[in-house]
C-alpha cells in the first residue's frame, strides 16, 4: 500500500522473477475483476430465480449482523462496571430488536387501517387542489387535464403500498427461523474452520480475516441503524408538531429509507410533505414540513453521520445507482434498502484479499481502500 493509502491496480513485481511470472502477476488483477463480474452475474440470476427463498434469508442475515453489532457494543467495558458476557449482550440485543419489530409492526398495522379510512377525504382534497391549480394556470378547460384530474386515485396508491408492506410482513416467521438458525450456526463456525484447516497457523489467519471483516461490517450496519433511528425520531417530533397525519408511520418509513443513499432521503421527505399539502389544503404546511424535514436530513447526513462513522460511504456514486437499480428491479423497495449495505459488505470482503482488491478499488469512490489491520 502506498503512503496515501491507495493500493495499486496490479500487484508489484518481485525482483528476480522471470518474464512469464511477471506477466502472470500483471494480469492477475484483470482476471480477478472478470471472475468477480461473472460471479456477480450468477448472483443476479440467482436473485431473480430464487427470490422467494433468498429475500427472507438476506433480511435475516442483515438482522443477525445488527444483533452482533449491538451485542458487541453492550459487551464493551464501561467505567466502574463489570464487563457484560457476550450471551447477556446478545440476549439484550435480541430483546431490543424483537421489541422494535413488534412496535414498528403495530405502528404500521394501525396506520394502514387509518389511511384506508381517511382515503376518501384525501381524494377530495387532491381533486380540489388540482382544480385550483388548473384554474390558476388557465388550463382547466383542456379535456386531457380534466381527465387526468379525475383519474388521480389516492386510495389505489395507498392500497398498493399497504399490500407491499403486508407481503413483507407475511415472511416475518420465515425470517425469524432463519435468524435463529444463523445464530446457532455462528456457535460452531470456529470449530468448522479449525476442522477445515488442520494447520493451526492457517486456521488463525482465517479467523483473523473473518474477525476483521465482521468488525467492519457490524460497525457500518450498527452506526447506520443508529443514524437512521436519530433521523426517524427527530422527523417524528417535527411532523407531530406540525400535525401531519400518521407521523409515527412516516417516521418508520424515514428510518427504513435512510439506508438508501440519495433517493431514500428525498422520498422520506417527499411523502409526508405531500400528505401535509393534501391534509391541510394549505401550501404553508407543505413548505414548513418540507423545509424542516429537509434540514433534518441534511444535518444528520452531512454532520452527524460523518462524525459517528468516521468516514464516508466510500462507494462510487455510479455503483450506488447501479446497485439501487438492480436490487430495486428484482426485490422492490426492500431490495433497495438492502442493496447498499451488502455492496459495502462486498467491498470490505474484496479489500481483505489481494487478488480481489482491484474489485474493491472499482467499487470505491476514489480508488482508496484501507483493509483492517493491513
Amino acid at each position: 500500500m502506498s503512503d496515501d493509502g491507495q493500493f495499486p491496480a496490479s500487484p508489484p513485481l518481485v525482483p528476480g522473477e522471470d518474464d512469464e511470472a511477471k506477466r502472470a502477476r500483471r494480469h492477475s488483477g484483470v482476471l480477478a475483476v472478470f471472475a468477480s463480474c461473472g460471479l456477480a452475474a450468477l448472483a443476479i440470476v440467482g436473485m431473480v430465480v430464487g427470490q422467494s427463498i433468498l429475500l427472507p434469508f438476506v433480511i435475516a442475515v442483515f438482522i443477525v449482523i445488527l444483533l452482533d453489532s449491538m451485542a458487541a457494543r453492550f459487551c464493551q467495558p464501561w467505567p466502574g462496571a463489570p464487563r457484560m458476557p457476550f450471551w447477556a449482550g446478545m440476549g439484550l440485543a435480541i430483546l431490543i430488536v424483537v421489541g422494535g419489530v413488534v412496535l414498528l409492526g403495530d405502528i404500521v398495522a394501525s396506520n394502514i387501517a387509518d389511511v384506508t379510512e381517511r382515503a376518501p377525504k384525501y381524494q377530495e382534497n387532491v381533486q380540489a387542489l388540482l382544480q385550483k391549480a388548473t384554474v390558476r394556470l388557465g388550463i382547466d378547460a383542456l379535456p386531457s387535464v380534466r381527465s387526468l384530474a379525475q383519474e388521480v386515485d389516492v386510495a389505489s396508491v395507498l392500497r398498493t403500498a399497504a399490500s407491499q408492506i403486508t407481503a413483507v410482513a407475511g415472511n416475518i416467521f420465515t425470517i425469524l427461523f432463519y435468524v435463529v438458525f444463523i445464530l446457532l450456526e455462528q456457535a460452531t463456525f470456529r470449530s468448522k474452520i479449525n476442522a477445515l484447516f488442520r494447520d493451526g497457523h492457517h486456521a488463525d489467519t482465517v479467523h483473523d480475516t473473518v474477525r476483521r471483516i465482521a468488525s467492519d461490517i457490524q460497525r457500518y450496519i450498527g452506526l447506520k441503524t443508529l443514524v437512521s433511528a436519530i433521523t426517524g425520531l427527530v422527523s417524528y417530533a417535527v411532523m407531530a408538531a406540525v400535525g401531519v397525519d400518521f407521523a409515527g408511520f412516516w417516521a418508520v418509513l424515514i428510518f427504513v429509507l435512510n439506508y438508501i443513499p440519495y433517493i431514500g432521503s428525498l422520498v422520506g421527505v417527499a411523502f409526508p410533505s405531500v400528505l401535509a399539502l393534501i391534509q391541510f389544503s394549505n401550501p404553508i404546511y407543505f413548505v414548513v414540513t418540507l423545509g424542516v424535514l429537509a434540514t433534518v436530513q441534511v444535518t444528520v447526513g452531512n454532520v452527524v453521520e460523518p462524525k459517528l462513522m468516521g468516514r464516508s460511504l466510500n462507494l462510487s456514486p455510479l455503483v450506488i445507482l447501479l446497485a439501487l437499480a438492480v436490487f430495486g428491479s428484482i426485490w422492490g423497495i426492500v431490495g433497495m434498502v438492502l442493496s447498499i449495505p451488502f455492496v459495502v459488505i462486498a467491498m470490505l470482503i474484496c479489500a481483505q484479499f489481494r487478488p480481489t482488491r482491484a474489485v474493491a478499488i472499482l467499487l470505491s469512490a476514489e480508488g482508496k481502500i484501507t483493509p483492517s489491520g493491513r
Side-chain angles (χ1 to χ4, degrees):
M1 186 172 63
S2 60
D3 294 336
D4 61 356
Q6 185 172 359
F7 285 100
S10 60
L13 300 180
V14 177
E17 283 186 320
D18 55 26
D19 292 340
E20 184 177 352
K22 291 179 180 178
R23 285 194 296 270
R25 290 177 64 84
R26 287 194 187 99
H27 293 293
S28 61
V30 177
L31 292 176
V33 172
F34 278 108
S36 300
C37 290
L39 290 175
L42 289 175
I44 292 174
V45 173
M47 288 169 60
V48 175
V49 175
Q51 175 179 351
S52 59
I53 299 174
L54 287 179
L55 184 55
F57 179 76
V58 171
I59 295 175
V61 171
F62 182 89
I63 293 175
V64 170
I65 293 173
L66 178 59
L67 289 172
D68 287 336
S69 175
M70 294 174 64
R73 295 279 176 180
F74 294 149
C75 293
Q76 288 181 348
W78 295 88
R83 187 183 185 121
M84 181 182 295
F86 183 77
W87 63 267
M90 178 58 73
L92 180 58
I94 291 174
L95 288 176
I96 293 175
V97 170
V98 170
V101 170
V102 171
L103 177 61
L104 297 183
D106 181 66
I107 291 174
V108 171
S110 62
N111 278 272
I112 286 176
D114 291 340
V115 166
T116 304
E117 181 182 348
R118 301 187 194 185
K121 177 186 175 183
Y122 294 152
Q123 182 74 29
E124 294 177 2
N125 291 346
V126 168
Q127 298 290 350
L129 287 171
L130 288 176
Q131 183 66 27
K132 289 179 181 179
T134 55
V135 169
R136 289 193 177 186
L137 293 174
I139 57 176
D140 57 309
L142 296 177
S144 59
V145 175
R146 291 201 305 269
S147 176
L148 177 62
Q150 293 171 357
E151 290 178 1
V152 174
D153 190 352
V154 177
S156 176
V157 174
L158 295 176
R159 282 195 298 268
T160 301
S163 64
Q164 292 184 353
I165 295 173
T166 304
V168 175
N171 290 321
I172 188 65
F173 291 107
T174 304
I175 294 170
L176 291 178
F177 273 118
Y178 279 134
V179 169
V180 170
F181 282 99
I182 292 173
L183 290 174
L184 293 175
E185 193 73 15
Q186 281 185 321
T188 61
F189 183 74
R190 187 174 186 86
S191 60
K192 289 181 179 181
I193 294 296
N194 292 333
L196 284 173
F197 299 93
R198 297 295 182 182
D199 186 343
H201 175 70
H202 289 164
D204 290 341
T205 302
V206 173
H207 285 307
D208 184 54
T209 301
V210 171
R211 180 189 58 77
R212 287 197 301 267
I213 294 173
S215 176
D216 279 349
I217 293 171
Q218 291 170 12
R219 182 176 183 275
Y220 170 75
I221 297 296
L223 291 178
K224 189 66 177 177
T225 301
L226 176 61
V227 170
S228 299
I230 293 173
T231 307
L233 289 173
V234 176
S235 299
Y236 172 78
V238 171
M239 291 181 289
V242 175
V244 178
D245 285 344
F246 320 118
F249 175 79
W250 297 121
V252 172
L253 184 66
I254 289 172
F255 167 78
V256 173
L257 293 176
N258 200 57
Y259 287 96
I260 305 176
Y262 309 140
I263 300 175
S265 59
L266 294 176
V267 175
V269 169
F271 276 133
S273 301
V274 171
L275 180 64
L277 178 62
I278 295 173
Q279 176 186 343
F280 298 106
S281 298
N282 189 330
I284 295 179
Y285 288 92
F286 167 77
V287 172
V288 171
T289 304
L290 177 64
V292 179
L293 289 182
T295 302
V296 171
Q297 290 280 358
V298 170
T299 302
V300 173
N302 295 280
V303 178
V304 178
E305 184 169 342
K307 285 185 177 296
L308 288 176
M309 303 192 74
R311 59 177 183 271
S312 64
L313 193 61
N314 195 26
L315 279 180
S316 166
L318 179 59
V319 170
I320 291 175
L321 292 177
L322 286 175
L324 292 175
V326 172
F327 278 74
S329 63
I330 298 174
W331 287 350
I333 186 65
V334 179
M336 296 179 72
V337 171
L338 296 173
S339 62
I340 304 307
F342 279 93
V343 172
V344 172
I345 289 172
M347 185 178 69
L348 290 172
I349 293 175
C350 290
Q352 297 295 328
F353 307 100
R354 184 166 291 279
T356 56
R357 281 177 189 160
V359 178
I361 291 173
L362 292 176
L363 295 176
S364 65
E366 299 177 354
K368 297 180 180 180
I369 55 174
T370 52
S372 305
R374 301 291 178 92

